[in-house]
Amino acid sequence: MDQHIPVTVLDDLSAGHAGSVSGADLVIGDMGDEALLDRLFGQHAFDAVMHFASFIQVGESIGAPAKYFHNNVSKTINLLNSMARHDVKNFIFSSTAAIFGNPQAGHIDEHHVKAPINPYGRSKLIVEQMLPDYEAAYGIRHACLRYFNAAGAHPDGSLGERHDPETHLIPLAISAALGNTGGLKVFGDDYPTHDGTCIRDYVHVCDLASAHLLALQHLRAQGESLKLNLGNGEGYSVKQILDAVAALVGKPVPHTVAGRRAGDPAVLVADSRKARDVLGWQPAYSSLDDIVGHALRFYQATPMASAH
Ligand code: UDP
């Protein structure tokens, strides 16, 4: 694999941070801006586009579907159309476990029925469903990488998630345990799981990154389009996450039990054998200690994260 791949990052910085970009050119702009995309694709001979620019909050998407379909679907169409006009042939798309809805099986493989239960999941599934048509008509091959629960941070603590507001369980639990925010709300303890709280498959962000590089290598070698589920195949309940955070921080996570969050399936756990078989993907940080430990290291090293 290339040691250095020249990269241009396009980000409107509505959720991203300029300081998180290093070793790449940053263009501040909107993927819905057709003239900007045409200019960028005209200036550079890109051979691939990786699309990470969706809105991602399940709960928010239920109250604001227009926002989600506009950004996640309409603007993605704009991006794909510009790729087609400029003959860019490889597309790697951040998809999600939310396309599956309520699981029909313990571990979700790629054939699992797709029945999203929230607008976020539907917005991603619509894009997935469009891609074979873009391939047939314009020759754009794709890799849809369906993240289960992206978590963790760079192992050296230099890069991690900085959402404002933060909505994700692990950073919220860390900040609550450290006393930087009030108690955490556990969204429901009456699910049909062993302790009543939702079970998710947490996957380290560096392992997701390595899957993207493998997918890029695969598409560049003229491999066929792919749809892959990315997780560790191990489910942890919200309570188990709070226990792991408490053990690593050395303090309990103050919390109360609140009602269920709309749009949350009880259990989402991946069967990622296809990613391992086709791409040779090997998660390097599958233990909860690594995932939570790296998130904690980032949190402690980053005043911005602590402020939120
Ligand atoms: N969750 C929770 N309290 C919070 C945030 C999340 O109980 O303050 C639960 C949420 O209901 C889900 C799990 O933790 O079952 C993971 O949620 P997160 O928002 O981190 O990721 P998502 O599942 O939305 O991708």
Side-chain angles (χ1 to χ4, degrees), residues 58 149 167-169 172 184-187 198 200 202 238 261 264:
V58 168
N149 278 65
T167 61
H168 291 110
L169 179 63
L172 286 175
L184 178 109
K185 286 187 179 140
V186 171
F187 295 140
C198 285
R200 294 288 180 272
Y202 295 86
V238 172
R261 185 174 70 176
D264 265 343

Short mmCIF file of all heavy atoms in Angstrom, two decimals, residues 58 149 167-169 172 184-187 198 200 202 238 261 264, ligand 1:
data_model
loop_
_atom_site.label_atom_id
_atom_site.label_comp_id
_atom_site.label_asym_id
_atom_site.label_seq_id
_atom_site.Cartn_x
_atom_site.Cartn_y
_atom_site.Cartn_z
N VAL A 58 -28.89 9.87 15.34
CA VAL A 58 -30.16 9.17 15.19
C VAL A 58 -31.32 10.00 15.76
O VAL A 58 -32.34 10.23 15.10
CB VAL A 58 -30.09 7.80 15.90
CG1 VAL A 58 -31.46 7.17 16.03
CG2 VAL A 58 -29.14 6.88 15.17
N ASN A 149 -20.60 0.85 16.02
CA ASN A 149 -20.43 2.07 16.82
C ASN A 149 -18.98 2.55 16.80
O ASN A 149 -18.15 2.01 17.55
CB ASN A 149 -20.93 1.86 18.24
CG ASN A 149 -22.43 2.02 18.31
OD1 ASN A 149 -23.15 1.23 17.71
ND2 ASN A 149 -22.89 3.06 18.98
N THR A 167 -22.92 13.68 21.83
CA THR A 167 -24.10 12.83 22.09
C THR A 167 -23.70 11.37 22.30
O THR A 167 -24.55 10.55 22.63
CB THR A 167 -25.09 12.88 20.90
OG1 THR A 167 -24.42 12.38 19.73
CG2 THR A 167 -25.60 14.27 20.65
N HIS A 168 -22.43 11.04 22.07
CA HIS A 168 -22.03 9.63 22.09
C HIS A 168 -21.71 9.13 23.50
O HIS A 168 -21.19 9.87 24.33
CB HIS A 168 -20.85 9.40 21.16
CG HIS A 168 -21.24 9.55 19.73
ND1 HIS A 168 -20.83 10.60 18.95
CD2 HIS A 168 -22.07 8.81 18.95
CE1 HIS A 168 -21.37 10.49 17.75
NE2 HIS A 168 -22.13 9.41 17.72
N LEU A 169 -22.01 7.86 23.68
CA LEU A 169 -21.97 7.29 25.03
C LEU A 169 -20.58 7.37 25.68
O LEU A 169 -20.46 7.80 26.82
CB LEU A 169 -22.44 5.82 24.96
CG LEU A 169 -22.43 5.08 26.29
CD1 LEU A 169 -23.41 5.72 27.26
CD2 LEU A 169 -22.77 3.60 26.08
N LEU A 172 -19.29 10.88 26.66
CA LEU A 172 -20.16 11.43 27.71
C LEU A 172 -19.90 10.73 29.04
O LEU A 172 -19.88 11.37 30.10
CB LEU A 172 -21.63 11.28 27.32
CG LEU A 172 -22.13 12.24 26.24
CD1 LEU A 172 -23.57 11.89 25.84
CD2 LEU A 172 -22.05 13.69 26.70
N LEU A 184 -24.79 11.16 33.60
CA LEU A 184 -25.19 10.66 32.28
C LEU A 184 -26.61 10.10 32.36
O LEU A 184 -27.01 9.57 33.40
CB LEU A 184 -24.22 9.54 31.91
CG LEU A 184 -24.49 8.85 30.59
CD1 LEU A 184 -23.41 9.25 29.61
CD2 LEU A 184 -24.51 7.35 30.77
N LYS A 185 -27.35 10.24 31.27
CA LYS A 185 -28.67 9.59 31.20
C LYS A 185 -28.53 8.28 30.45
O LYS A 185 -28.06 8.28 29.30
CB LYS A 185 -29.65 10.48 30.46
CG LYS A 185 -30.10 11.67 31.27
CD LYS A 185 -31.21 12.41 30.52
CE LYS A 185 -31.68 13.58 31.36
NZ LYS A 185 -31.95 14.78 30.57
N VAL A 186 -28.95 7.21 31.07
CA VAL A 186 -28.99 5.91 30.37
C VAL A 186 -30.35 5.84 29.67
O VAL A 186 -31.40 5.89 30.32
CB VAL A 186 -28.83 4.75 31.37
CG1 VAL A 186 -29.09 3.41 30.69
CG2 VAL A 186 -27.45 4.77 32.01
N PHE A 187 -30.31 5.75 28.34
CA PHE A 187 -31.56 5.79 27.58
C PHE A 187 -32.24 4.43 27.57
O PHE A 187 -32.13 3.66 26.61
CB PHE A 187 -31.31 6.28 26.15
CG PHE A 187 -30.81 7.70 26.08
CD1 PHE A 187 -29.82 8.06 25.17
CD2 PHE A 187 -31.33 8.69 26.91
CE1 PHE A 187 -29.36 9.37 25.09
CE2 PHE A 187 -30.87 10.01 26.84
CZ PHE A 187 -29.89 10.35 25.93
N CYS A 198 -29.25 -1.07 26.06
CA CYS A 198 -28.97 -1.41 24.65
C CYS A 198 -27.57 -1.97 24.48
O CYS A 198 -26.61 -1.51 25.13
CB CYS A 198 -29.06 -0.15 23.80
SG CYS A 198 -30.72 0.41 23.50
N ARG A 200 -24.42 -2.64 21.87
CA ARG A 200 -23.82 -2.15 20.63
C ARG A 200 -22.44 -2.79 20.45
O ARG A 200 -21.81 -3.24 21.41
CB ARG A 200 -23.63 -0.62 20.68
CG ARG A 200 -24.91 0.19 20.73
CD ARG A 200 -25.63 0.15 19.39
NE ARG A 200 -26.87 0.92 19.39
CZ ARG A 200 -28.06 0.44 19.75
NH1 ARG A 200 -28.18 -0.83 20.15
NH2 ARG A 200 -29.13 1.20 19.70
N TYR A 202 -18.89 -1.83 19.54
CA TYR A 202 -18.01 -0.65 19.47
C TYR A 202 -16.75 -1.02 18.68
O TYR A 202 -16.12 -2.03 18.97
CB TYR A 202 -17.68 -0.14 20.88
CG TYR A 202 -18.93 0.36 21.57
CD1 TYR A 202 -19.76 -0.50 22.28
CD2 TYR A 202 -19.32 1.69 21.44
CE1 TYR A 202 -20.95 -0.05 22.86
CE2 TYR A 202 -20.50 2.16 22.02
CZ TYR A 202 -21.31 1.29 22.73
OH TYR A 202 -22.48 1.74 23.29
N VAL A 238 -24.96 -0.75 27.51
CA VAL A 238 -24.62 0.59 28.04
C VAL A 238 -24.03 0.43 29.43
O VAL A 238 -23.01 1.06 29.76
CB VAL A 238 -25.89 1.49 28.06
CG1 VAL A 238 -25.61 2.79 28.78
CG2 VAL A 238 -26.38 1.75 26.63
N ARG A 261 -34.41 6.34 24.01
CA ARG A 261 -34.19 7.34 22.97
C ARG A 261 -34.88 6.82 21.70
O ARG A 261 -34.66 5.67 21.31
CB ARG A 261 -32.68 7.49 22.74
CG ARG A 261 -32.30 8.57 21.76
CD ARG A 261 -30.79 8.76 21.69
NE ARG A 261 -30.13 7.62 21.05
CZ ARG A 261 -28.81 7.57 20.78
NH1 ARG A 261 -28.03 8.59 21.13
NH2 ARG A 261 -28.28 6.51 20.22
N ASP A 264 -33.76 3.84 18.65
CA ASP A 264 -32.68 2.94 19.08
C ASP A 264 -33.11 1.48 19.02
O ASP A 264 -33.99 1.06 19.80
CB ASP A 264 -32.30 3.23 20.54
CG ASP A 264 -31.13 4.17 20.67
OD1 ASP A 264 -30.38 4.37 19.68
OD2 ASP A 264 -30.95 4.71 21.78
N1 UDP B 1 -26.72 6.20 25.16
C1 UDP B 1 -27.16 6.46 26.44
N2 UDP B 1 -26.95 7.70 26.96
C2 UDP B 1 -26.31 8.70 26.29
C3 UDP B 1 -25.84 8.41 24.98
C4 UDP B 1 -26.07 7.15 24.45
O1 UDP B 1 -27.76 5.59 27.10
O2 UDP B 1 -26.17 9.81 26.82
C5 UDP B 1 -26.95 4.86 24.57
C6 UDP B 1 -27.78 4.91 23.29
O3 UDP B 1 -29.15 4.85 23.59
C7 UDP B 1 -27.25 3.68 22.55
C8 UDP B 1 -25.78 3.57 23.00
O4 UDP B 1 -25.69 4.33 24.21
O5 UDP B 1 -27.92 2.53 22.98
C9 UDP B 1 -24.82 4.14 21.99
O6 UDP B 1 -25.25 5.41 21.61
P1 UDP B 1 -24.36 6.43 20.81
O7 UDP B 1 -25.14 7.71 20.70
O8 UDP B 1 -23.00 6.50 21.42
O9 UDP B 1 -24.17 5.77 19.38
P2 UDP B 1 -25.27 5.37 18.26
O10 UDP B 1 -25.81 4.04 18.72
O11 UDP B 1 -26.27 6.45 18.18
O12 UDP B 1 -24.46 5.25 17.02
#
